[in-house]
Amino acid sequence: MERIELKDFEDKYLDTVIDILMDAYQDIPEYGEANRKQAKRYIKWLKKHSTFFKILFYEDEPAAFIVGDGNWIDIEGKHVGEIHELSVKKKFWGKGLGDLLLNKVLEHFKELGLKKSGLWVGEKNKRAIDFYKKHGFQETGIKYYGWVRMEKNL
């Protein structure tokens, strides 16, 4: 049986998280970060805008991470659980790790009493759009510079 462990983000995992991020977006670089320096800046922003930042280790190897913010105010001024990032290293795709992380962050939002979760996904990232639809997210019709807004009632 495979061994999965979730750990809270700490600064010592910064390079690990950057590695996961860079790997996850290798096929769609327009939605990832251009280089490690920009990725570092993005991860630091994520840390400041999160109430849930977990790294998933699969058989002791860093495989994925998720960042959610239970204090987010969306573009309509509503308090939502915002998923800022969900990244899985390509070699771990199809193992259910994204499902596990998504369910954990949605559980966190429900525990905070939130009624809705939202996220932005790259409009060309069909794999991610289909993944979120499978989990009950729907496109809202709002688009912003190549990004699509998706939401789910909790």
Side-chain angles (χ1 to χ4, degrees):
M1 186 162 160
E2 62 235 356
R3 199 170 66 255
I4 293 173
E5 184 178 6
L6 287 180
K7 294 184 180 180
D8 289 322
F9 177 82
E10 298 176 41
D11 287 339
K12 69 180 181 180
Y13 294 124
L14 181 62
D15 285 331
T16 298
V17 169
I18 291 171
D19 290 343
I20 295 167
L21 184 72
M22 301 302 276
D23 183 272
Y25 286 98
Q26 62 183 301
D27 294 341
I28 45 170
E30 62 268 36
Y31 300 121
E33 300 300 322
N35 55 52
R36 292 185 72 84
K37 184 177 179 181
Q38 286 183 1
K40 183 177 182 178
R41 188 176 312 127
Y42 176 54
I43 299 303
K44 287 184 174 188
W45 182 91
L46 289 172
K47 182 182 173 188
K48 279 201 289 192
H49 297 91
S50 67
T51 58
F52 190 91
F53 193 153
K54 301 283 185 187
I55 306 161
L56 186 148
F57 290 79
Y58 183 90
E59 300 292 345
D60 295 325
E61 184 177 346
F65 73 95
I66 192 163
V67 181
D69 188 347
N71 296 319
W72 197 251
I73 304 298
D74 72 6
I75 59 175
E76 296 172 343
K78 295 179 183 155
H79 188 190
V80 300
E82 188 74 6
I83 299 169
H84 289 309
E85 189 65 53
L86 171 55
S87 292
V88 180
K89 276 188 179 176
K90 196 170 181 181
K91 79 182 220 176
F92 295 104
W93 288 4
K95 294 187 179 296
L97 306 183
D99 299 314
L100 188 148
L101 287 172
L102 183 60
N103 288 331
K104 291 284 188 187
V105 78
L106 294 176
E107 186 178 300
H108 168 72
F109 294 153
K110 288 177 188 174
E111 288 171 0
L112 294 175
L114 298 172
K115 303 293 183 216
K116 185 177 279 191
S117 179
L119 58 92
W120 291 92
V121 61
E123 64 186 355
K124 294 181 201 169
N125 192 347
K126 182 154 175 40
R127 181 181 177 93
I129 291 170
D130 290 345
F131 169 81
Y132 290 118
K133 283 182 177 177
K134 179 182 91 172
H135 288 277
F137 283 82
Q138 297 177 330
E139 294 182 43
T140 64
I142 300 169
K143 293 186 178 184
Y144 185 77
Y145 293 101
W147 295 86
V148 175
R149 181 74 179 164
M150 298 185 80
E151 293 178 344
K152 172 185 177 151
N153 291 325
L154 299 175

